[in-house]
Amino acid sequence: MNKPVDPENAPGPTESLDWLSPYFLGSYAENDELLEKVLVEFLRDHVYWRRNFHPEDTPPISVLAQHGPDYREFVARMKSELHGLSARLKQSVPFFNPRYIGHMASDLLLPGLIGQMITTLYNPNNVTDEAANVTLEMELEVGRQLAAMFGFSTDPASRPCAWGHVTSGGTLANYEALWYFRAARFWPLTARQATVEAELDPGVLDGLDGAFVKADPARLFNLSLDQVIRLRRQLYEWMGTSLSPAQARALARAIEAGRIESLGEAGFHNAHPELGQPVVMVPVTAHYSWEKALKLLGLGSANLVTVGVTERMRMDPDALHAALARAHDQGRPVLAVIGVLGTTEYGSIDPIHEIVSARQRWRKKGLDFAIHVDAAWGGYLSSLFRAADGSLVGHGELKKKFKYFPGESVYKAFAAVRHSDSVTVDPHKLGYVPFGCGAYVARNRGLTDFITQKAAYVFEGSEESGPVNYERRFRNLGQYILEGSKPGAAATAAWITHRVLPLNQDHFGRLCAGTVHNCEYFFEHLDELRTRLKGTARVILPFEPDSNLVCLAINPEGNRSLAAMNAFGRRIYERISATSAGDIRTREFFGSRTLVDRSALNPETAARLCDELGLDPASFTENVADPETQSDRIFLLRHTLMNPWLTGKDRGLNYLDRYCRHLETLIGQAIGNGQ
Amino acid sequence: MNKPVDPENAPGPTESLDWLSPYFLGSYAENDELLEKVLVEFLRDHVYWRRNFHPEDTPPISVLAQHGPDYREFVARMKSELHGLSARLKQSVPFFNPRYIGHMASDLLLPGLIGQMITTLYNPNNVTDEAANVTLEMELEVGRQLAAMFGFSTDPASRPCAWGHVTSGGTLANYEALWYFRAARFWPLTARQATVEAELDPGVLDGLDGAFVKADPARLFNLSLDQVIRLRRQLYEWMGTSLSPAQARALARAIEAGRIESLGEAGFHNAHPELGQPVVMVPVTAHYSWEKALKLLGLGSANLVTVGVTERMRMDPDALHAALARAHDQGRPVLAVIGVLGTTEYGSIDPIHEIVSARQRWRKKGLDFAIHVDAAWGGYLSSLFRAADGSLVGHGELKKKFKYFPGESVYKAFAAVRHSDSVTVDPHKLGYVPFGCGAYVARNRGLTDFITQKAAYVFEGSEESGPVNYERRFRNLGQYILEGSKPGAAATAAWITHRVLPLNQDHFGRLCAGTVHNCEYFFEHLDELRTRLKGTARVILPFEPDSNLVCLAINPEGNRSLAAMNAFGRRIYERISATSAGDIRTREFFGSRTLVDRSALNPETAARLCDELGLDPASFTENVADPETQSDRIFLLRHTLMNPWLTGKDRGLNYLDRYCRHLETLIGQAIGNGQ
């Protein structure tokens, strides 16, 4: 973290947390009455709703039924199984508790939890408005709420206008981003080829200097997404006005037939040998779903270019530049560059602004790429940067709330998200809604022009012949997304959360600020732990935290071997891991762990870590000769500080202090056992 | 449907439905007290569980908090928004009611509904056991429960042993099936190439007549999945015993680098030009997610071969044979043949047994393919075919329960699912659990050997060097599936449903039988409607139903034009559609609709439909010259008869009778308006 701005006056982890009281059920289930009362109220509301649909119908279930032996037997069986379920669930890891600082899970915001439960009773299916006449609209509103948080325009009159929808999780949203990029970016090549083969000439189209039919493939691939969307509209307008219906239909058919979606990756690249295999660039810290994405889409994981990171574990702009230059030299098209807003392992914030400005520079050289921001984790932190009126909060104003956050790069990164093409964000992570709720948001809803499972053969009367009615289009949501059936209840959870806590600094942002305060508190108080452990063990933060995740490396004093340090770390982890616990209830704290590959670090960072930890630099190597002493990766304890009650001045020793004490004990014990 | 077996003694739609009484909340919410009581009981159980984790901690939320103005304001805001949500939800389509016979939605089984709600309080994330130490195991058990229902072995000692898991829906399961097939089937080619390039020779491997290194690509692609799995194990065993660790590592690395997952579709096919682009075969009636799948995976929708269907809308074995012969002649590898067990539009059951026997025949000619059964809709009907001891119920025994079901082909199809390689099934459809719960089941869990996001570089101490511990592997479930974070609550809903109602004919099967009885009842009583409408309109079943979906075509008497008939059908549909209703509460019934393309029908079926409907055969044509009279598709009303209370003898006129009366009224009105 950078130098403090105004440590005396900054609000922070020592403020009262009373304001949080009604948000969650609570670690002691303090709000049990509230939850039960509201839930039962709306359960009954649902019950009486059922009775108001054709009340004249005789109820199919007899009032006497419950006294029959079959009925009683079924209920007994159900209750017995539910008891069994409940008994097993009680072995669950207590994510809700501030003693849990492991993975990205915490307590659930009450509005979303209740909203989801109520909606489940109605069981809408957000694949089409016929199966979700109410909640589909809410899902699209979630898309707009999130889009506005990222700074995209959601005004239908504006070009571009953003849209978004809920996915089962961030992984699906990541797939979808690439699916959309591919569909749009290869389109102009196919359209040109079909037009040329039909011996037609629409003249000059958007983004091109000369005739469309003369444009070369590299130029057509390196149009911006906005240009591709406009180019397609122009071409279809021209087809509608200048061609006969039969000609237009034939051309539309030929275009569809030549698309990469139709021919497949192999067939398309065979047909366009002049175009190299496209690459996708991600920081080396990116989530493993990106590798999965390239495998799934048939793009090939070998075409995933991992870009090096700085010692803050942020994508290194120089490394990006070098990777782009390499692609340029090799004539490889760049499908997309992915920036991560809050990496899964370190919470680090990639410099999205640097990716945006790299694009501006490279565009001039004829190399364009789509930008996707994987904000599965950090997306909701954007609410901190958004004023109630939707404007960006100034850096100076924002810094007043924190001691360190946000540094220059972090601030610029969040501010630049609005220049990206699409974003992944997980309401089920920092949105504090139940699992099964991710989201995909695109800056330009025109991207959906390139995705439909229906053939475009019906030319007249279709969307092609006039302005697209996106509202009507998205009523058939399943046509424009990867998933089919999907729960309206998940969308509702996010929707009502954003209604009760709008996505700006005054509402949702306050919750996010709390998590950053936790991190700043932990960051500052580690010094005390370090002092107490002096001469026993070295505890370091390998990377200064950007947001609300903190990793620690621990090395017993005097140990020079990374392999031994890793083994030591694993022994500590055994004592805070959820899976190794015999009885979960006896655990004091829960953490998680991660590994950093030597190959992911630059030599300076690797050397610095060894130095700070007192390790022999030769023991941290990509080429392990002696596994007894060497390793190609560092074992770290990893802490997600999203529970809002980790700190707070008014209810005794806070949980981060306690965790530090506990860690001290574990370190002492581990050293004792190791002797 | 075929001729009745024993109409007098067959149980059926006129039996008492009292046994069903405790299963659902009910259309009048008759079981409101039961639901509320049990839900509150387990909600409180959760509350007190929270208090038993470190009870010594001071509760972070003060008991006085609820009296503060901030607290009251938040609660007011939350309640106000929840009221708004509830108000909007009351415009929902009443899927729970027997008056809803549109899409695949109905009331929810209480155990699953309650189980899901309870589990949501614990909010596990089934991506890894660290985030779901309880419910991940339940998800794997759901996989075993479903696998056993399909007749797969789930005994870990058996080879193959099945496995399965929950997905967000059937669409994802369909993607996953192809993802697995591709990963496995191209593997031997890559492995051979890498072995040859390393100048190594493991000798003869499973499924091959001669040396592995001499095997030709077509032979290697046309191994069965079981052979590929064994071949890989043999090769790795040989590498572990006959090569030095460095050699083995190098070969493993080379294999990984040459895989289609690594090179991408284009790169791989470039490297193996001798192999044609693979095709995937589906019946023309298959769900649109298959086209999406081929686009998503980079396989190309042009490589989706749609196989013609019989007049029952089942995949035509002759057409399949012809398609396979074509692929064989063209040297195109067949990645998979998909059979549908219960098509989305018609509920028709593809002859899975014919696909299986076609594979046996074609294997002899050197053409092999994987078989996937898309049983998203009809999968749960398999419970009817399964005795409590897990054995297949005999056809004769099963037929006794029905008048027509199951015909010879349908019976054989269900019995043959166990010979397929994988199955998609949706608990959120005929499993009556809330949306967001699909499933993928594979006959041989060895398929997962081909999927991992971790590089196989670490050779020693890895799974490769000894028998794979699948139980341990699947604790990192996210590594072996397409999704990342996913709700444990969805898995629990299916799990407890299967516990309370085991997937055999005596338990879950009884519910499924009821839906088939509905269909048989509707099928038989349509005659009455037809008689009453004589001289007014013709009502036909275009295709005899295979399961529990029924489509109707309606033509006003004397009309000869398909275009006019379709317009008429749309006017009827307007009156039973969920989206065109002003006030949903005034709707009498809800149905859905579908369109059958002329291109999907053989000439005989098209001619028969025109004849039965009294249409001019020239008005049903693929080449529409006059849109005023002609059309290339037929508009049908579509009815999903899954609500268990559609019929039943003991509580007044049943809903299917009422629907027929309503339809009669609507037809009369539409004819009146049309005049």
Side-chain angles (χ1 to χ4, degrees):
Chain A
M1 302 203 156
N2 299 324
K3 282 270 168 279
V5 174
D6 183 5
E8 292 308 310
N9 298 319
T14 54
E15 70 170 344
S16 164
L17 295 180
D18 277 354
W19 61 276
L20 263 177
S21 300
Y23 284 42
F24 299 88
L25 174 55
S27 71
Y28 191 73
E30 294 93 325
N31 289 318
D32 59 332
E33 283 182 27
L34 175 64
L35 172 59
E36 180 176 322
K37 193 163 157 284
V38 176
L39 194 60
V40 167
E41 175 185 344
F42 287 102
L43 173 62
R44 290 182 186 165
D45 206 11
H46 174 83
V47 159
Y48 292 108
W49 171 72
R50 288 197 174 198
R51 294 186 184 177
N52 280 303
F53 184 70
H54 289 280
E56 73 277 14
D57 286 1
T58 309
I61 301 173
S62 154
V63 285
L64 283 172
Q66 59 185 290
H67 304 295
D70 283 359
Y71 190 103
R72 291 201 305 258
E73 196 196 310
F74 182 89
V75 172
R77 194 167 172 149
M78 176 173 80
K79 286 195 69 171
S80 155
E81 290 295 342
L82 284 169
H83 281 298
L85 169 64
S86 182
R88 285 176 67 176
L89 283 173
K90 288 175 180 184
Q91 292 300 321
S92 291
V93 182
F95 301 118
F96 67 90
N97 197 285
R99 288 171 177 270
Y100 184 82
I101 49 175
H103 290 291
M104 293 161 164
S106 174
D107 208 353
L108 298 169
L109 280 169
L110 282 177
L113 174 63
I114 298 171
Q116 172 157 336
M117 285 180 152
I118 295 170
T119 309
T120 300
L121 297 167
Y122 294 83
N123 199 32
N125 175 5
N126 276 18
V127 65
T128 146
D129 66 342
E130 290 182 26
N133 60 336
V134 173
T135 53
L136 185 67
E137 178 48 38
M138 290 173 180
E139 175 160 349
L140 297 173
E141 200 174 327
V142 169
R144 290 188 292 269
Q145 290 164 334
L146 294 169
M149 175 173 73
F150 296 128
F152 296 141
S153 169
T154 57
D155 177 0
S158 77
R159 291 279 176 101
C161 171
W163 88 293
H165 68 91
V166 168
T167 65
S168 70
T171 295
L172 264 284
N174 287 346
Y175 299 161
E176 193 167 319
L178 290 185
W179 185 55
Y180 267 114
F181 290 161
R182 178 169 67 184
R185 297 199 65 200
F186 289 107
W187 193 89
L189 275 82
T190 309
R192 192 197 78 96
Q193 193 177 27
T195 310
V196 168
E197 283 169 9
E199 296 180 4
L200 295 166
D201 184 1
V204 180
L205 297 180
D206 197 274
L208 301 174
D209 301 324
F212 174 58
V213 293
K214 297 257 165 79
D216 78 84
R219 177 73 201 117
L220 290 170
F221 185 83
N222 286 296
L223 294 170
S224 76
L225 287 175
D226 290 352
Q227 284 170 331
V228 174
I229 291 164
R230 283 196 300 268
L231 183 145
R232 183 176 175 282
R233 283 190 192 135
Q234 280 187 353
L235 182 65
Y236 270 96
E237 272 165 33
W238 172 81
M239 285 158 67
T241 52
S242 306
L243 300 186
S244 73
Q247 270 182 313
R249 256 198 313 273
L251 180 55
R253 255 193 224 110
I255 294 173
E256 281 306 306
R259 292 183 64 187
I260 196 165
E261 279 68 31
S262 176
L263 297 177
E265 286 279 336
F268 183 86
H269 284 285
N270 255 340
H272 299 272
E274 68 283 6
L275 204 70
Q277 270 234 75
V279 295
V280 173
M281 298 184 181
V282 295
V284 68
T285 50
H287 190 253
Y288 73 92
S289 61
W290 288 105
E291 192 183 328
K292 255 204 266 189
L294 270 90
K295 291 179 177 175
L296 174 67
L297 272 82
L299 291 164
S301 55
N303 300 312
L304 186 71
V305 174
T306 51
V307 177
V309 291
T310 66
E311 65 164 10
R312 299 285 293 260
M313 298 310 258
R314 302 169 182 161
M315 183 189 271
D316 180 351
D318 293 337
L320 174 63
H321 182 81
L324 289 167
R326 237 176 352 259
H328 188 252
D329 291 348
Q330 295 168 355
R332 308 237 6 221
V334 181
L335 183 59
V337 174
I338 316 299
V340 183
L341 208 73
T343 55
T344 308
E345 303 304 321
Y346 321 105
S348 50
I349 309 287
D350 280 340
I352 309 300
H353 53 293
E354 297 282 5
I355 302 175
V356 170
S357 65
R359 179 163 68 177
Q360 281 165 339
R361 285 194 306 275
W362 280 98
R363 259 181 194 164
K364 291 176 191 149
K365 299 182 199 171
L367 187 162
D368 209 319
F369 51 85
I371 299 176
H372 179 79
V373 178
D374 182 350
W377 173 247
Y380 274 86
L381 294 176
S382 300
S383 62
L384 271 171
F385 295 76
R386 205 52 59 191
D389 66 359
S391 65
L392 189 70
V393 178
H395 194 186
E397 183 186 343
L398 190 51
K399 278 198 289 192
K400 285 187 196 141
K401 295 187 182 172
F402 305 95
K403 290 198 172 177
Y404 311 96
F405 182 88
E408 189 77 14
S409 176
V410 168
Y411 180 82
K412 285 183 175 169
F414 277 92
V417 173
R418 69 180 188 279
H419 300 300
S420 71
D421 295 297
S422 51
V423 184
T424 291
V425 56
D426 270 345
H428 66 209
K429 289 195 174 105
L430 270 183
Y432 299 89
V433 305
F435 276 110
C437 190
Y440 167 84
V441 180
R443 187 177 52 82
N444 191 337
R445 61 185 182 179
L447 266 183
T448 59
D449 297 351
F450 299 88
I451 295 284
T452 174
Q453 308 322 313
K454 285 188 195 136
Y457 296 175
V458 188
F459 200 71
E460 308 90 339
S462 78
E463 287 176 343
E464 305 307 351
S465 61
V468 178
N469 183 331
Y470 287 97
E471 275 70 31
R472 197 170 60 210
R473 167 180 289 187
F474 295 139
R475 285 187 213 152
N476 286 311
L477 186 60
Q479 295 280 336
Y480 298 96
I481 64 174
L482 287 180
E483 288 159 281
S485 297
K486 54 204 285 283
T492 307
W495 177 81
I496 198 159
T497 299
H498 301 166
R499 295 277 296 185
V500 177
L501 289 171
L503 299 174
N504 60 51
Q505 62 173 353
D506 301 329
H507 297 94
F508 204 97
R510 210 171 165 193
L511 202 52
C512 291
T515 70
V516 177
H517 289 153
N518 289 340
C519 189
E520 295 191 337
Y521 185 89
F522 197 38
F523 178 69
E524 293 205 318
H525 287 69
L526 272 174
D527 270 345
E528 296 170 18
L529 179 65
R530 263 192 284 259
T531 308
R532 291 201 301 273
L533 286 168
K534 198 149 200 153
T536 310
R538 297 194 191 194
V539 179
I540 72 155
L541 277 101
F543 324 110
E544 287 185 42
D546 274 351
S547 55
N548 45 23
L549 257 85
V550 183
C551 291
L552 295 180
I554 306 168
N555 193 26
E557 195 64 56
N559 171 53
R560 300 275 297 157
S561 144
L562 177 55
M565 187 194 101
N566 287 348
F568 180 80
R570 286 196 176 89
R571 285 209 300 281
I572 305 278
Y573 173 66
E574 284 287 296
R575 305 287 301 278
I576 58 169
S577 110
T579 46
S580 64
D583 185 343
I584 224 108
R585 286 169 299 184
T586 62
R587 272 280 183 263
E588 290 287 330
F589 280 90
F590 297 89
S592 63
R593 44 80 169 96
T594 189
L595 293 159
V596 189
D597 286 337
R598 174 64 188 80
S599 60
L601 301 175
N602 59 40
E604 298 75 38
T605 307
R608 173 180 60 79
L609 292 180
C610 290
D611 181 51
E612 290 181 23
L613 287 162
L615 292 171
D616 175 5
S619 72
F620 188 22
T621 170
E622 283 190 67
N623 303 304
V624 174
D626 175 18
E628 297 289 313
T629 59
Q630 296 180 311
S631 180
D632 56 358
R633 41 198 196 168
I634 287 195
F635 180 93
L636 303 177
L637 295 182
R638 171 176 165 269
H639 312 89
T640 308
L641 305 179
M642 71 182 283
N643 189 297
W645 276 283
L646 288 176
T647 58
K649 71 174 181 192
D650 39 9
R651 305 194 72 78
L653 191 66
N654 77 36
Y655 284 91
L656 292 178
D657 288 340
R658 290 197 225 177
Y659 175 68
C660 288
R661 293 275 169 87
H662 184 58
L663 205 53
E664 190 184 340
T665 308
L666 295 182
I667 291 168
Q669 289 172 350
I671 286 175
N673 291 339
Q675 281 172 341
Chain B
M1 300 202 158
N2 299 324
K3 283 269 169 280
V5 174
D6 184 3
E8 291 309 309
N9 298 320
T14 54
E15 72 170 342
S16 164
L17 294 180
D18 277 354
W19 61 276
L20 264 176
S21 301
Y23 284 43
F24 298 88
L25 175 54
S27 70
Y28 190 74
E30 295 93 325
N31 290 318
D32 59 332
E33 282 182 28
L34 175 63
L35 172 59
E36 181 177 321
K37 192 164 158 285
V38 176
L39 194 59
V40 168
E41 175 185 343
F42 287 101
L43 173 62
R44 290 183 186 164
D45 206 10
H46 174 83
V47 159
Y48 292 107
W49 172 71
R50 288 197 174 197
R51 294 186 183 176
N52 280 303
F53 184 70
H54 288 281
E56 73 278 13
D57 285 2
T58 308
I61 302 174
S62 152
V63 286
L64 283 172
Q66 60 185 289
H67 304 295
D70 283 359
Y71 191 103
R72 291 200 306 258
E73 197 195 309
F74 182 90
V75 172
R77 195 167 173 150
M78 176 173 80
K79 285 195 69 172
S80 157
E81 291 295 341
L82 285 169
H83 281 297
L85 169 65
S86 182
R88 284 177 68 176
L89 283 173
K90 288 175 181 184
Q91 292 301 320
S92 291
V93 181
F95 301 118
F96 66 90
N97 197 284
R99 288 171 177 270
Y100 184 84
I101 49 175
H103 289 291
M104 294 160 164
S106 174
D107 208 354
L108 298 170
L109 281 169
L110 283 177
L113 174 63
I114 298 171
Q116 172 157 336
M117 285 180 151
I118 295 170
T119 310
T120 300
L121 297 166
Y122 294 84
N123 200 32
N125 176 5
N126 276 17
V127 64
T128 146
D129 67 342
E130 289 181 27
N133 59 336
V134 173
T135 54
L136 185 67
E137 179 46 38
M138 289 174 181
E139 174 160 349
L140 297 173
E141 199 173 327
V142 168
R144 290 189 292 268
Q145 290 163 334
L146 294 169
M149 175 173 74
F150 297 128
F152 296 141
S153 169
T154 57
D155 177 0
S158 77
R159 290 278 175 102
C161 170
W163 89 292
H165 68 91
V166 169
T167 65
S168 70
T171 295
L172 264 285
N174 287 346
Y175 299 160
E176 193 168 320
L178 290 185
W179 184 56
Y180 268 114
F181 289 162
R182 178 169 67 185
R185 296 199 65 202
F186 289 108
W187 194 89
L189 275 83
T190 309
R192 191 196 78 97
Q193 193 176 27
T195 311
V196 168
E197 282 169 10
E199 296 179 3
L200 295 167
D201 184 0
V204 180
L205 297 180
D206 197 275
L208 301 174
D209 300 324
F212 175 58
V213 293
K214 296 257 165 81
D216 77 85
R219 178 72 202 117
L220 290 171
F221 184 83
N222 286 295
L223 293 171
S224 75
L225 287 174
D226 289 353
Q227 283 170 331
V228 174
I229 292 164
R230 283 196 301 267
L231 184 144
R232 183 177 175 281
R233 284 190 192 133
Q234 280 186 354
L235 183 65
Y236 270 95
E237 271 165 33
W238 172 81
M239 285 157 69
T241 52
S242 305
L243 302 185
S244 73
Q247 270 182 313
R249 255 198 315 272
L251 181 54
R253 254 192 225 112
I255 295 173
E256 281 307 305
R259 292 183 64 187
I260 197 164
E261 279 67 31
S262 176
L263 296 177
E265 286 279 337
F268 183 86
H269 283 286
N270 256 341
H272 299 272
E274 68 283 5
L275 205 70
Q277 270 235 75
V279 295
V280 173
M281 298 185 181
V282 295
V284 68
T285 49
H287 191 253
Y288 73 94
S289 61
W290 288 104
E291 192 183 329
K292 254 204 267 190
L294 270 89
K295 290 179 178 176
L296 174 68
L297 274 80
L299 291 164
S301 55
N303 300 312
L304 187 71
V305 174
T306 51
V307 177
V309 291
T310 66
E311 64 164 10
R312 299 286 295 260
M313 299 309 260
R314 302 168 181 162
M315 183 190 272
D316 181 350
D318 293 337
L320 174 62
H321 182 81
L324 290 167
R326 241 183 343 265
H328 188 252
D329 291 348
Q330 295 167 357
R332 311 259 331 245
V334 181
L335 183 59
V337 174
I338 316 298
V340 183
L341 208 71
T343 56
T344 309
E345 303 304 321
Y346 321 105
S348 49
I349 308 287
D350 281 339
I352 309 301
H353 53 294
E354 297 282 5
I355 302 175
V356 170
S357 65
R359 180 164 68 178
Q360 281 166 340
R361 284 194 306 275
W362 280 97
R363 258 181 195 164
K364 291 177 190 147
K365 299 180 198 172
L367 187 162
D368 209 320
F369 50 86
I371 298 177
H372 179 79
V373 177
D374 182 350
W377 172 248
Y380 273 86
L381 294 176
S382 301
S383 62
L384 271 171
F385 295 74
R386 204 53 58 191
D389 66 359
S391 65
L392 188 71
V393 178
H395 194 187
E397 183 186 342
L398 189 52
K399 278 198 290 192
K400 286 187 195 142
K401 295 186 182 173
F402 305 95
K403 289 197 173 178
Y404 312 95
F405 181 89
E408 189 77 13
S409 176
V410 169
Y411 181 82
K412 285 184 175 168
F414 277 92
V417 173
R418 69 180 189 279
H419 300 300
S420 71
D421 295 298
S422 51
V423 184
T424 290
V425 57
D426 270 345
H428 66 208
K429 291 195 173 103
L430 270 183
Y432 299 89
V433 306
F435 276 110
C437 189
Y440 167 84
V441 181
R443 188 177 51 82
N444 191 337
R445 62 184 181 179
L447 267 182
T448 59
D449 296 352
F450 299 88
I451 295 285
T452 174
Q453 308 321 313
K454 285 188 196 137
Y457 296 176
V458 188
F459 200 72
E460 307 91 340
S462 78
E463 288 176 341
E464 306 307 351
S465 60
V468 178
N469 182 332
Y470 287 96
E471 275 70 33
R472 195 171 60 210
R473 166 179 289 187
F474 295 139
R475 284 186 214 153
N476 287 310
L477 187 61
Q479 295 280 335
Y480 299 95
I481 64 174
L482 287 180
E483 288 159 281
S485 296
K486 54 203 286 283
T492 307
W495 177 81
I496 197 158
T497 299
H498 302 165
R499 295 276 297 185
V500 177
L501 289 170
L503 299 174
N504 59 51
Q505 61 172 355
D506 301 329
H507 297 93
F508 204 96
R510 210 171 165 193
L511 202 53
C512 292
T515 71
V516 178
H517 289 153
N518 290 340
C519 189
E520 295 191 337
Y521 185 90
F522 197 39
F523 178 70
E524 293 205 319
H525 287 69
L526 272 174
D527 270 346
E528 296 170 19
L529 180 65
R530 264 193 283 259
T531 308
R532 292 201 302 272
L533 285 169
K534 199 150 200 154
T536 309
R538 299 193 191 195
V539 179
I540 72 155
L541 277 102
F543 323 110
E544 287 185 42
D546 273 351
S547 54
N548 44 23
L549 256 86
V550 183
C551 291
L552 296 179
I554 306 169
N555 192 27
E557 195 65 57
N559 171 53
R560 301 273 297 158
S561 144
L562 177 56
M565 187 194 102
N566 286 349
F568 180 81
R570 286 197 176 88
R571 285 209 299 281
I572 305 277
Y573 173 66
E574 283 287 295
R575 306 287 301 278
I576 57 169
S577 110
T579 47
S580 64
D583 185 342
I584 225 110
R585 285 169 299 183
T586 62
R587 272 280 185 260
E588 289 288 330
F589 279 91
F590 297 89
S592 63
R593 45 83 169 91
T594 188
L595 293 159
V596 189
D597 286 337
R598 174 64 189 79
S599 60
L601 301 175
N602 58 41
E604 298 75 38
T605 307
R608 173 180 61 79
L609 292 180
C610 290
D611 180 51
E612 289 181 24
L613 287 161
L615 291 171
D616 175 6
S619 72
F620 188 20
T621 170
E622 283 190 67
N623 303 303
V624 174
D626 175 16
E628 296 290 312
T629 59
Q630 296 179 312
S631 180
D632 56 357
R633 41 197 196 167
I634 287 194
F635 179 93
L636 304 178
L637 295 181
R638 170 174 165 270
H639 311 90
T640 307
L641 305 179
M642 71 183 282
N643 189 296
W645 276 284
L646 288 177
T647 58
K649 71 173 183 194
D650 39 8
R651 306 196 71 79
L653 191 67
N654 77 36
Y655 284 91
L656 291 179
D657 288 340
R658 290 198 224 177
Y659 175 68
C660 287
R661 293 275 169 87
H662 184 59
L663 204 53
E664 190 184 339
T665 308
L666 295 181
I667 290 168
Q669 288 172 350
I671 286 175
N673 291 339
Q675 280 173 339

